[in-house]
Amino acid sequence: MPLTASRYGKARVRVMRLARDGDHHTPRELDLTVLIRGAFDAAWTEGDNRACIATDSLRNIVNVTAARNLSAGAEAFAGILAGHLLETYPQVEEVSLEVRETRWIRHAVAGEPHGHTFIRDGNGFGYAGLVAERGSRRLSSGLRGFTFMKTTGSGWAGFVDDRYRTLPDTTDRIAATSMDATWTWARSPADYAAANAAVLARLLEVFGTTYSAGLQDSMYRMGEAALAAVPEIAEIHFALPNRHYIPLDLSPFGLANPGTVFLPTDEPHGQIEATIGRG
């Protein structure tokens, strides 16, 4: 029987890089998945490992690359790592990288940014993804688990009304999500960090300042705004779980609930996904 697809590598490779400039430090903490595809079929079909690179070696390569590139952003680091693997091992045909970044915010002491004290940004993780072959690369940036909400300016109405429906129409509800967003680059921006910040700013602006007929509606307009704001982006993909806040029935206790007390729940949740491109 044919082996139709195969790849392997190392997951959850964690490394912290610390760029030191005197007493001013910059931490960059990454969690990487490194997968390679190439001339390794014999390891599956014949038990022949002669072409295989140990996954432990992949971890060591990540660490060596980190030591040599303390200041590279996540996107640049992914490119350097993929390039090293392709240049070092002729049997590797494709490198796929998933990079999750823990973001550290510089703490202020007496109103001034401190050189080496940081607070972890608890709202999600930065993301970079790269699929690299000899002669082609596909680079993406984004966010994972970035959580936000608005407490009005959202509704969900006019959907299918059949014998399975129990949810009433509403034109005023809390809208909240824990967003996974991935934008793919058509070309490199002048500054990845600045471009990524511009994308997030536009997403939140559209979400917060316009009425949402549903997460689908907001998602599409958020994507349009991101593409308009950053011309280097080819497309943007969203996966938005709907974090529900259900109004509590307080009538058994003789109390009204004019949209002020809710049950937070995210299990089960609606899962809404879409990709918006330039056409």
Side-chain angles (χ1 to χ4, degrees):
M1 294 184 182
L3 178 68
T4 59
S6 64
R7 63 179 184 171
Y8 78 101
K10 203 76 164 179
R12 297 305 306 272
V13 182
R14 300 180 65 182
V15 62
M16 165 74 90
R17 294 171 295 149
L18 189 60
R20 297 172 179 262
D21 182 9
D23 196 44
H24 188 276
H25 298 172
T26 302
R28 295 180 173 89
E29 182 176 349
L30 302 179
D31 181 333
L32 299 96
T33 295
V34 183
L35 294 172
I36 54 176
R37 180 179 61 79
F40 307 114
D41 286 5
W44 274 265
T45 60
E46 301 171 28
D48 182 348
N49 297 326
R50 285 177 294 175
C52 287
I53 306 150
T55 65
D56 194 60
S57 298
L58 296 177
R59 180 201 61 186
N60 293 337
I61 289 167
V62 170
N63 292 337
V64 170
T65 303
R68 292 173 174 167
N69 299 275
L70 297 177
S71 298
E75 291 87 357
F77 185 82
I80 294 165
L81 178 59
H84 180 74
L85 289 168
L86 290 167
E87 291 164 12
T88 303
Y89 301 106
Q91 68 270 42
V92 174
E93 297 171 6
E94 179 187 273
V95 178
S96 296
L97 300 174
E98 298 276 332
V99 183
R100 193 173 77 157
E101 183 171 17
T102 298
R103 297 175 297 168
W104 291 97
I105 301 170
R106 194 174 301 278
H107 181 59
V109 176
E112 295 295 328
H114 195 263
H116 55 262
T117 303
F118 302 87
I119 299 170
R120 177 175 168 174
D121 184 347
N123 198 350
F125 295 87
Y127 169 83
L130 176 64
V131 177
E133 301 178 358
R134 291 175 180 80
S136 69
R137 293 191 174 195
R138 180 178 174 87
L139 177 66
S140 301
S141 301
L143 293 161
R144 295 291 180 267
F146 189 85
T147 303
F148 52 96
M149 76 171 182
K150 59 181 177 181
T151 54
T152 191
S154 175
W156 178 242
F159 49 94
V160 172
D161 188 3
D162 61 14
R163 64 192 180 96
Y164 297 107
R165 171 176 164 168
T166 58
L167 195 66
D169 283 355
T170 182
T171 57
D172 187 6
R173 66 170 185 170
I174 293 175
T177 188
S178 182
M179 176 180 72
D180 288 354
T182 306
W183 41 96
T184 301
W185 300 101
R187 59 186 185 275
S188 299
D191 184 319
Y192 280 106
N196 291 338
V199 172
L200 179 58
R202 288 298 289 136
L203 298 181
L204 294 176
E205 180 182 358
V206 171
F207 178 80
T209 61
T210 62
Y211 181 79
S212 172
L215 279 180
Q216 293 92 332
D217 172 49
S218 284
M219 181 188 297
Y220 182 75
R221 290 183 290 104
M222 290 161 66
E224 283 187 313
L227 292 171
V230 183
E232 295 87 355
I233 292 174
E235 64 180 25
I236 183 167
H237 176 77
F238 294 100
L240 300 186
N242 201 343
R243 300 171 65 94
H244 301 292
Y245 290 84
I246 301 170
L248 289 170
D249 180 9
L250 300 177
S251 60
F253 313 103
L255 296 173
N257 184 9
T260 55
V261 184
F262 302 86
L263 172 66
T265 179
D266 56 9
E267 294 180 355
H269 62 249
Q271 181 73 16
I272 299 96
E273 300 188 10
T275 301
I276 298 94
R278 296 189 180 276

